Amino acid sequence: MARLVVFILAALLGAVAAQGAQAAPPRLRLGFYWRSCPRAEYIVREVVKNATAINPGLGAGLIRMAFHDCFVQGCDASVLLDPTPANPRPEKLGPPNFPSLRGFDVIDAAKAALEKACPGVVSCADVVQFAARDAAFFLSGDKVFYNLPAGRFDGRISFENETLAFLPRSILNLSELVTNFKVKGLNVDDLVVLSGSHTVGRSHCSSFSDRISSTSPSDMDAGLATVLKRQCPANPNFTDDPTVPMDGVTPAKLDNQYYKDVLKHKVLFNSDAALLTSRVTRRKVLENAFIRGRWERKFAKAMVKMSLIEIKNAANGEIRKNCHVVN
């Protein structure tokens, strides 16, 4: 009998311990800096607010930066690291990032203000994600808002060649895009929703020149193609590669206009047009285009989900003092 009692007690204690382990909060959490740097998120928000008020394009760049950071080495600010003698070709010099990625000065300004208020506390990785969240808020006219868990560490590894391996390219078809997102733990709905960020910002002509080439006809709206041919050189190169708005209707506003453009074949990239090549993704495009508020809500959730990709820890990360170099 005594043995039975001991066994039951042990089982109960084990169950309680297991429940406690499952309920233990993850390292990333909302309000992570409330005690260590109470004004952290406010500081970042004010910097982003001022920057986007002067140049909305910087907001688009910040959203894109968060995406490009998370898809390579996880959300660890590896995209911010500068070249060094030991590593002359970091992510920021990869073709998908250089010279088109923008917003580095905004991150620097936010980090400088944070270091002044709370030295060595807030990671660059969190600054990148906070800045993207705030940019989305301001560019959407307050319609996109989400609380963001924080506590990320900054990575120490950054390689140019990984940008081509992991960042989805504008020439990909739907199956290739789905695979690309799946590798990072994101699903088809995330793919369609996050593609909506193409409603703001600009693109270099070289990113879609194949879509307006007379030798390689596409399904792009003929009127848009004609306009783009006047704006872009026939053979764009590094020294002659102008930019054009990705959304010609509301180019400085984060809204669902992108999906209406997709349906009208008025999008720049093959990866955008690819969303109409399956019944599943086409239905999602229609829903995002015409159900009021749907895309904004889903975009907020997808951005939080993306911000959790491959988070570093104290063993393989750090809190950089300067976002451009490892400590």
Side-chain angles (χ1 to χ4, degrees):
M1 183 67 179
R3 289 182 178 178
L4 179 60
V5 171
V6 170
F7 177 81
I8 293 173
L9 285 173
L12 288 172
L13 288 171
V16 170
Q19 289 178 353
Q22 292 171 358
R27 223 199 71 80
L28 293 192
R29 64 178 186 273
L30 297 176
F32 184 85
Y33 296 109
W34 283 352
R35 291 186 179 181
S36 59
C37 191
R39 299 180 68 249
E41 294 190 44
Y42 172 79
I43 288 172
V44 176
R45 175 159 293 197
E46 285 300 296
V47 172
V48 173
K49 179 181 180 180
N50 293 335
T52 55
I54 297 171
N55 183 355
L58 290 174
L62 292 169
I63 295 170
R64 184 169 177 247
M65 180 183 289
F67 185 94
H68 282 218
D69 184 40
C70 289
F71 264 61
V72 183
Q73 288 287 331
C75 307
D76 66 347
S78 53
V79 73
L80 303 179
L81 289 173
D82 282 345
T84 65
N87 181 25
R89 306 296 300 180
E91 288 173 37
K92 64 165 49 176
L93 296 184
N97 294 329
F98 184 78
S100 60
L101 198 60
R102 308 172 67 196
F104 293 104
D105 290 346
V106 181
I107 300 299
D108 290 344
K111 178 63 171 175
L114 289 166
E115 285 299 301
K116 185 176 180 179
C118 317
V121 173
V122 183
S123 70
C124 300
D126 279 340
V127 175
V128 169
Q129 297 305 315
F130 287 151
R133 184 265 309 269
D134 299 335
F137 176 77
F138 293 120
L139 293 183
S140 68
D142 308 355
K143 291 182 180 179
V144 173
F145 175 80
Y146 50 96
N147 291 310
L148 189 67
R152 294 166 187 80
F153 281 94
D154 299 322
R156 302 188 185 99
I157 298 172
S158 183
F159 297 123
E160 172 193 20
N161 59 1
E162 292 189 346
T163 62
L164 291 173
F166 294 108
L167 285 171
R169 290 175 290 162
S170 60
I171 61 172
L172 298 186
N173 62 36
L174 184 60
S175 63
E176 291 168 332
L177 288 166
V178 170
T179 299
N180 188 282
F181 274 65
K182 185 177 181 180
V183 167
K184 297 300 175 181
L186 301 175
N187 59 32
V188 174
D189 197 48
D190 299 321
L191 161 62
V192 176
V193 169
L194 290 172
S195 294
S197 63
H198 289 173
T199 192
V200 288
R202 303 178 68 86
S203 169
H204 283 273
C205 293
S206 58
S207 296
F208 59 85
S209 57
D210 60 313
R211 299 250 299 154
I212 59 175
S213 169
S214 56
T215 59
S216 179
S218 71
D219 65 350
M220 183 184 288
D221 173 79
L224 176 60
T226 298
V227 170
L228 293 173
K229 286 178 182 178
R230 288 199 296 262
Q231 296 175 319
C232 294
N235 297 294
N237 54 58
F238 190 78
T239 59
D240 185 17
D241 195 5
T243 62
V244 300
M246 290 193 287
D247 175 356
V249 181
T250 55
K253 187 176 181 181
L254 189 71
D255 57 18
N256 68 340
Q257 179 62 41
Y258 165 81
Y259 298 98
K260 299 172 185 178
D261 292 342
V262 170
L263 292 168
K264 295 176 181 178
H265 300 276
K266 292 185 175 183
V267 285
L268 301 184
F269 308 138
N270 187 70
S271 57
D272 296 326
L275 299 184
L276 295 182
T277 59
S278 85
R279 287 195 302 174
V280 171
T281 53
R282 183 181 180 86
R283 185 182 71 248
K284 293 180 184 297
V285 169
L286 286 165
E287 291 170 348
N288 288 327
F290 298 113
I291 300 178
R292 186 175 180 179
R294 181 185 180 89
W295 175 73
E296 288 83 356
R297 292 190 298 272
K298 293 177 79 68
F299 183 73
K301 292 180 181 178
M303 287 293 284
V304 173
K305 183 177 179 181
M306 183 186 74
S307 78
L308 305 178
I309 294 175
E310 299 169 21
I311 301 300
K312 299 293 189 295
N313 55 42
N316 61 2
E318 62 185 13
I319 308 298
R320 284 184 222 142
K321 297 176 183 177
N322 179 338
C323 290
H324 293 271
V325 295
V326 298
N327 293 340

